[in-house]
C-alpha cells in the first residue's frame, strides 16, 4: 500500500532493481517524520489549550527534569537515526559499485546535449539499454557540471569536467517492443544540475529493449553511414550530435534556439563577424562554411548571435559524418 502511494504521490513507477529499496527508505523517513510531526504538534496544541493563562490561576511548581523522559527522547531517536543511516549507507554503496562484467556505456554531457557511446562503436542521442542486465554508465562532461538523472531508475550522478564518474542500473521492464521507437513508451532522462541558458531542454528518452532486440539496435546504430542514404544518415547525426538543440530546421526562433536557423539557408549569403574583428563580412553557406563552423565554430559568428557552440573535433565528429550532415542540410527547405 505504501509503495503504491509513493508511486502516485512522489515518484514514477519503479523500473530498476534498486528503485524499491530507495522508495522503501524514503517511505520510512517520510512517514516517520509525519508521525512525529503529528505527535509533537498535537501535544503542543493540547498543552496550549489545557494550560492557557486563566484569571486567578497561580503557577504550580514543576520538576526541573525527568530522567526517564530524557533518556527516552534521546535513545529512541538515536536508534531510528542509526537504522536510517545503516540502510541508507549500505544501499548507497550498492548503487555506487557496479557489478563485475556490467555492460558499459559512455555518457558524454555538454551544453546542452547528451551523447551515449556503446562498446561496438554505436552512438545515440537517446539512451538505449537491455533489460535484466547490469549496465554501467561512465560519465564525463565536456564543459560545465551536469547531472545524469533517470527518475524511474532512482539514479543520479554528476558529470564533472576533467574527470570520470560512474553509476549503474539494472532495468526490470522493457519500454516496448520492436526497433521502431514509436512502439515504445520511453522513460525520461534529465540534467539535474543547472548548466546554462538551455538547461531546460537537456532531456532525453530512455528505451529499454529485450536482449535480442537491443543487439539488433546496437548493430544497426553502429553502421549509420553504411545502412542509410547520406541525407538520412545526416539527419540522424544532426539530432544525435546535439545540433537540433541549438539550430532550428523549421523557422527562426531565437528565443528557443541560440544558433541561427538552417532551413532554406543552403547557398544563401549571411553576415558574420570574424574573431578579433568588429566589422562584419559576407559569406556563403556552402560545404566549406559548414565544415569550418563545425571544426572552428567561434572563428566567425553570425551577426545577432552569440558564441558558445561546442567545438567538434574529429574524435567527436568524423569527416564522413560532416559530409552526411551537409547532405542533410541541402535538403532543408
Amino acid at each position: 500500500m505504501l509503495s503504491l502511494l509513493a508511486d502516485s504521490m512522489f515518484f514514477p513507477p519503479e523500473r530498476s532493481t534498486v528503485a524499491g529499496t530507495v522508495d522503501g527508505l524514503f517511505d520510512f523517513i517520510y512517514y516517520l517524520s509525519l508521525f512525529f510531526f503529528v505527535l509533537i504538534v498535537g501535544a503542543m496544541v493540547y498543552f496550549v489549550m489545557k494550560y492557557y493563562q486563566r484569571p486567578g490561576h497561580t503557577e504550580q511548581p514543576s520538576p526541573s527534569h525527568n530522567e526517564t523522559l530524557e533518556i527516552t527522547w534521546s535513545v529512541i531517536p538515536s536508534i531510528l537515526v542509526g537504522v536510517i543511516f545503516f540502510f541508507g549507507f549500505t544501499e548507497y554503496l550498492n548503487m555506487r559499485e557496479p557489478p563485475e562484467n556490467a555492460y558499459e556505456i559512455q555518457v558524454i554531457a555538454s551544453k546542452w546535449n547528451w551523447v551515449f557511446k556503446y562498446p561496438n562503436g554505436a552512438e545515440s542521442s537517446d539512451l538505449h539499454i537491455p533489460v535484466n542486465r547490469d549496465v554501467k554508465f561512465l560519465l564525463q562532461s565536456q564543459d560545465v557540471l551536469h547531472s545524469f538523472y533517470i527518475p524511474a531508475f532512482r539514479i543520479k550522478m554528476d558529470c564533472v569536467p576533467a574527470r570520470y564518474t560512474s553509476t549503474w542500473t539494472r532495468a526490470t521492464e522493457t519500454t516496448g517492443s520492436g526497433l521502431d521507437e514509436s512502439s515504445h513508451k520511453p522513460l525520461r532522462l534529465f540534467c539535474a544540475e543547472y548548466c546554462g541558458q538551455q538547461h531546460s531542454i537537456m532531456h532525453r528518452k530512455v528505451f529499454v529493449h529485450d536482449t535480442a532486440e537491443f543487439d539488433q539496435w546496437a548493430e544497426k546504430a553502429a553502421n549509420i553511414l553504411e545502412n542509410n542514404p547520406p541525407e538520412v544518415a545526416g539527419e540522424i547525426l544532426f539530432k544525435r550530435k546535439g545540433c537540433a538543440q541549438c539550430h532550428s530546421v523549421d523557422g527562426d526562433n531565437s528565443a528557443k534556439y541560440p544558433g541561427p536557423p538552417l532551413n532554406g539557408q543552403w547557398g544563401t549569403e549571411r553576415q558574420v563577424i570574424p574573431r578579433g574583428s568588429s566589422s562584419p563580412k559576407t559569406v556563403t553557406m556552402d560545404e566549406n562554411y559548414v565544415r569550418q563552423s563545425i571544426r572552428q565554430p567561434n572563428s566567425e559568428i553570425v551577426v545577432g548571435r552569440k558564441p558558445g557552440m561546442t567545438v567538434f573535433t574529429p574524435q567527436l565528429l568524423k569527416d564522413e559524418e560532416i559530409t552526411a550532415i551537409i547532405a542533410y542540410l541541402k535538403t532543408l527547405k
Side-chain angles (χ1 to χ4, degrees), residues 246 248 250-259 261 305:
C246 295
S248 170
D250 57 4
D252 190 358
N253 185 352
S254 58
K256 181 178 180 181
Y257 299 97
R305 304 288 173 167

Side-chain angles (χ1 to χ4, degrees), residues 265-272 281-293 300:
Q265 299 297 305
W266 189 262
T268 63
E269 295 182 342
R270 55 179 57 191
Q271 294 290 306
V272 300
K281 72 173 186 178
T282 301
V283 297
T284 301
M285 183 174 173
D286 57 13
E287 291 85 353
N288 288 319
Y289 173 78
V290 172
R291 178 184 173 82
Q292 180 177 341
S293 298
E300 295 179 343

Side-chain angles (χ1 to χ4, degrees), residues 220-259:
K220 182 177 180 181
N223 300 292
I224 297 176
L225 298 176
E226 296 178 11
N227 297 333
N228 298 281
E231 62 274 11
V232 175
E235 181 178 8
I236 295 173
L237 290 166
F238 184 85
K239 297 176 181 178
R240 176 174 296 179
K241 297 297 182 177
C243 309
Q245 303 303 309
C246 295
H247 296 278
S248 170
V249 295
D250 57 4
D252 190 358
N253 185 352
S254 58
K256 181 178 180 181
Y257 299 97

Side-chain angles (χ1 to χ4, degrees), residues 73-306:
W73 73 34
S74 298
V75 172
I76 292 179
S78 297
I79 293 174
L80 293 174
V81 170
V83 170
I84 293 172
F85 173 80
F86 173 78
F87 286 103
F89 184 65
T90 54
E91 187 58 27
Y92 170 79
L93 293 179
N94 177 46
M95 295 173 66
R96 287 291 292 118
E97 295 296 330
E100 294 184 6
N101 302 318
Y103 184 83
E104 184 174 293
I105 298 176
Q106 295 184 44
V107 180
I108 303 173
S110 61
K111 295 187 297 185
W112 290 273
N113 184 47
W114 296 101
V115 174
F116 306 99
K117 294 188 175 183
Y118 303 82
N120 69 338
E123 295 184 12
S124 66
S125 55
D126 290 318
L127 178 61
H128 294 255
I129 64 173
V131 72
N132 294 322
R133 184 174 179 182
D134 299 325
V135 178
K136 175 184 176 181
F137 302 105
L138 185 63
L139 311 171
Q140 57 183 302
S141 171
Q142 290 184 339
D143 37 52
V144 299
L145 187 66
H146 299 279
S147 189
F148 178 77
Y149 177 43
I150 306 178
F153 294 160
R154 311 297 192 265
I155 59 172
K156 183 168 76 72
M157 180 57 63
D158 285 349
C159 305
V160 184
R163 63 173 294 181
Y164 292 102
T165 56
S166 66
T167 186
W168 72 281
T169 193
R170 185 183 182 95
T172 55
E173 297 181 28
T174 62
T175 55
S177 61
L179 298 182
D180 185 0
E181 294 183 355
S182 63
S183 64
H184 288 253
K185 293 183 178 180
L187 308 175
R188 305 301 297 177
L189 182 154
F190 300 94
C191 175
E193 184 77 35
Y194 181 71
C195 55
Q197 181 183 10
Q198 301 296 316
H199 163 73
S200 61
I201 67 172
M202 198 169 169
H203 53 82
R204 290 293 182 271
K205 299 176 182 177
V206 180
F207 298 91
V208 183
H209 306 268
D210 63 44
T211 301
E213 182 181 294
F214 174 78
D215 291 340
Q216 295 177 20
W217 175 88
E219 181 178 356
K220 182 177 180 181
N223 300 292
I224 297 176
L225 298 176
E226 296 178 11
N227 297 333
N228 298 281
E231 62 274 11
V232 175
E235 181 178 8
I236 295 173
L237 290 166
F238 184 85
K239 297 176 181 178
R240 176 174 296 179
K241 297 297 182 177
C243 309
Q245 303 303 309
C246 295
H247 296 278
S248 170
V249 295
D250 57 4
D252 190 358
N253 185 352
S254 58
K256 181 178 180 181
Y257 299 97
L262 298 177
N263 55 301
Q265 299 297 305
W266 189 262
T268 63
E269 295 182 342
R270 55 179 57 191
Q271 294 290 306
V272 300
I273 300 178
R275 178 187 294 174
S277 173
S278 58
S279 301
K281 72 173 186 178
T282 301
V283 297
T284 301
M285 183 174 173
D286 57 13
E287 291 85 353
N288 288 319
Y289 173 78
V290 172
R291 178 184 173 82
Q292 180 177 341
S293 298
I294 292 174
R295 294 288 190 233
Q296 299 173 307
N298 299 315
S299 62
E300 295 179 343
I301 305 301
V302 175
V303 173
R305 304 288 173 167
K306 296 180 180 180

